[in-house]
Amino acid sequence: NAGVMQNPRHLVRRRGQEARLRCSPMKGHSHVYWYRQLPEEGLKFMVYLQKENIIDESGMPKERFSAEFPKEGPSILRIQQVVRGDSAAYFCASSLDRNTEAFFGQGTRLTVV
Amino acid sequence: QKEVEQNSGPLSVPEGAIASLNCTYSDRVSQSFFWYRQYSGKSPELIMSIYSNGDKEDGRFTAQLNKASQYVSLLIRDSQPSDSATYLCAVIYYGQNFVFGPGTRLSVLP
């Protein structure tokens, strides 16, 4: 029973490029959460999705960031025209339903150069 | 967004002692509470979930929930150096998603 899978584990992008981060939830899980974490800081909520729907995107910047969770395939967090301040660890978590425990993937470390 | 607060660290305890980590939240309607452990450079790992008042034990870990006082705590008995990590409290507020506290860094000294 595979856990939450994120890829790539490390991603380097030049300023102005696009970054695509993928998250495959645990089998049977239809709820996905994305968080960002800067070094030595806490987890900052970005977006919560359920299959084909964005439930809460209150933590996501209005510009350059978007997320989706299609009926088939992984959830995608997309960052357009990356800037140095986007460098962080991005974690995805999935849960069976809204009020139960969530399990995290290993994260994607994004570095913008 | 509602907040989750944790006692500021770092918290240092000697090996074999009991480590006590506390967390407070702001909504009595909340139903779901979780403790995660995060080692430096790694992703958060679920340790305990607790949904009703009282204590829940799992090995050396005990979670305690008091909804009237709006706090949840984590006790680690017989602390080991391998327990040194940041511990994150998470709450699911009604109508919201997981809200994480800032974390408490624990150091267990050999």
Side-chain angles (χ1 to χ4, degrees):
Chain A
N1 184 18
V4 179
M5 303 299 291
Q6 288 189 250
N7 65 81
R9 292 286 305 279
H10 300 274
L11 182 62
V12 179
R13 283 288 178 265
R14 295 186 183 278
R15 281 177 294 171
Q17 290 185 319
E18 178 180 288
R20 282 194 179 218
L21 288 61
R22 294 175 180 77
C23 170
S24 295
M26 287 180 69
K27 187 176 181 180
H29 287 193
S30 61
H31 298 251
V32 166
Y33 311 83
W34 285 94
Y35 292 85
R36 176 164 64 179
Q37 189 175 42
L38 296 171
E40 306 303 317
E41 293 191 10
L43 288 166
K44 298 297 183 187
F45 166 76
M46 298 184 73
V47 62
Y48 164 38
L49 310 103
Q50 192 180 357
K51 277 289 186 181
E52 300 184 88
N53 292 305
I54 296 175
I55 307 300
D56 182 355
E57 57 182 346
S58 59
M60 202 148 70
K62 293 289 187 277
E63 297 180 354
R64 303 189 298 108
F65 286 73
S66 63
E68 63 177 6
F69 189 14
K71 186 177 180 181
E72 301 291 337
S75 175
I76 306 285
L77 179 68
R78 183 182 177 204
I79 311 173
Q80 294 179 292
Q81 299 175 322
V82 296
V83 300
R84 288 235 172 100
D86 296 331
S87 296
Y90 291 83
F91 292 103
C92 161
S94 74
S95 67
L96 192 60
D97 64 44
R98 186 162 193 160
N99 292 313
T100 57
E101 54 259 338
F103 298 90
F104 281 81
Q106 292 181 300
T108 294
R109 272 76 178 170
L110 172 65
T111 301
V112 180
V113 297
Chain B
Q1 179 142 337
K2 294 178 180 174
E3 300 289 325
V4 174
E5 297 184 352
Q6 296 186 239
N7 50 330
S8 59
L11 174 66
S12 294
V13 300
E15 184 174 355
I18 296 175
S20 177
L21 304 161
N22 298 316
C23 171
T24 57
Y25 59 96
S26 57
D27 185 346
R28 293 191 177 187
V29 180
S30 300
Q31 296 295 320
S32 306
F33 308 87
F34 310 91
W35 282 100
Y36 287 82
R37 176 175 63 196
Q38 187 176 26
Y39 292 111
S40 181
K42 302 295 185 182
S43 62
E45 172 192 9
L46 179 68
I47 299 176
M48 298 276 284
S49 57
I50 186 166
Y51 300 97
S52 54
N53 272 330
D55 295 0
K56 180 181 179 182
E57 187 174 317
D58 183 0
R60 296 186 295 112
F61 298 96
T62 300
Q64 299 174 319
L65 175 60
N66 184 323
K67 290 188 178 181
S69 300
Q70 296 173 211
Y71 81 78
V72 56
S73 62
L74 180 69
L75 300 178
I76 307 174
R77 290 182 301 280
D78 188 24
S79 296
Q80 302 297 309
S82 59
D83 295 325
S84 298
T86 297
Y87 289 80
L88 302 166
C89 173
V91 176
I92 297 180
Y93 286 109
Y94 180 78
Q96 291 188 241
N97 54 74
F98 282 80
V99 179
F100 281 85
T104 299
R105 185 175 296 180
L106 172 67
S107 290
V108 180
L109 307 174

